[in-house]
Amino acid sequence: MTIRVLVADDQALFREALTTLLEVQPGIEVVGEAGDGEEAVRRGAELRPDVVLMDLRMPVLDGIAATARLRDEQPDVRVLALTTFDDDEDVFAAIRAGAVGYLLKDVSGARLVEALVAAERGESVLQPSVAAKLVARVARLPEDAAPAEHPLSDREIDVVRLLAEGRSNREIAGALFLAEGTVKNLVTSVLSKLDVRDRTQAALRARDLGIL
């Protein structure tokens, strides 16, 4: 299956370089480019990509606002933030806006392709430094006086705890001694029970419920 990608970045040279890199990768098709967030939303509606590679700091409409609009208007489109900055506020704003992942522009080409494949499947993709920020931020959130009831089984709780660390399905399978297909089914169940779109949102929702 070919993954259809829209590249959104305000730097034309970077867009061109990224498009050139991705177009030679098997299973990846760059269907279009956008120079600002407003254009990214518009072209997303026109082209219906599987994944949007979204820069965060762009004119007209920034990448975070564009991500939120894509989440609301085109919920089947996955947004993968690809940016120069990894400060805490950008990371959390992008994730809460609906991005399924957050990578920095110094990522390798091979890792970027892996991330696109994972994002198309709805998996969270976090650069290690970003995952560490997410875990640290969640740990600082205030505890509820009485954790809310939740619908997860013990095994699903094991899975969501590993999701919160940014683990892939394969890594979760290895840690829990399960088949990768079983983990995929468990992740799907977790997303459904917690009523969230992606793995990162599942981790945040689990923390709100007192599971983590």
Side-chain angles (χ1 to χ4, degrees):
M1 184 180 68
T2 300
I3 300 173
R4 305 175 74 253
V5 178
L6 173 66
V7 176
D9 195 287
D10 63 336
Q11 296 181 4
L13 186 60
F14 182 79
R15 289 199 311 272
E16 292 170 6
L18 193 55
T19 297
T20 299
L21 169 69
L22 293 176
E23 283 182 336
V24 299
Q25 303 297 326
I28 304 288
E29 178 188 3
V30 178
V31 296
E33 300 178 9
D36 59 63
E38 187 70 42
E39 186 180 10
V41 175
R42 185 174 66 253
R43 300 224 69 195
E46 294 169 355
L47 300 170
R48 297 292 177 180
D50 298 307
V51 182
V52 177
L53 279 175
M54 183 78 76
D55 187 23
L56 296 187
R57 302 189 182 183
M58 293 188 291
V60 184
L61 185 70
D62 66 41
I64 292 169
T67 297
R69 281 185 53 185
L70 284 169
R71 177 196 60 199
D72 294 339
E73 299 172 15
Q74 301 165 54
D76 292 336
V77 176
R78 310 293 186 182
V79 176
L80 183 57
L82 181 64
T83 182
T84 306
F85 309 97
D86 69 343
D87 61 84
D88 291 9
E89 292 310 313
D90 278 349
V91 170
F92 269 81
I95 297 302
R96 291 199 177 278
V100 299
Y102 197 110
L103 296 176
L104 301 181
K105 287 183 178 179
D106 62 358
V107 69
S108 69
R111 175 59 178 142
L112 180 58
V113 171
E114 291 175 0
L116 286 169
V117 172
E120 192 276 332
R121 293 196 300 251
E123 298 180 11
S124 59
V125 184
L126 298 174
Q127 196 139 323
S129 62
V130 172
K133 289 177 182 292
L134 183 63
V135 171
R137 180 72 168 265
V138 167
R140 293 197 300 268
L141 293 175
E143 296 285 349
D144 292 330
E149 292 185 4
H150 63 78
L152 302 186
S153 68
D154 290 344
R155 181 56 82 188
E156 288 166 343
I157 291 172
D158 292 337
V159 168
V160 82
R161 284 172 176 161
L162 293 170
L163 290 182
E165 297 176 7
R167 304 282 193 97
S168 67
N169 284 355
R170 181 174 299 176
E171 291 169 335
I172 293 172
L176 298 180
F177 303 101
L178 297 172
E180 194 169 345
T182 300
V183 171
K184 182 177 180 181
N185 291 337
L186 286 167
V187 170
T188 299
S189 178
V190 166
L191 298 183
S192 177
K193 288 182 177 181
L194 296 182
D195 192 26
V196 293
R197 294 179 64 249
D198 60 67
R199 297 152 70 100
T200 305
Q201 294 286 338
L204 294 174
R205 176 64 175 151
R207 177 59 182 78
D208 291 341
L209 291 172
I211 298 171
L212 300 181

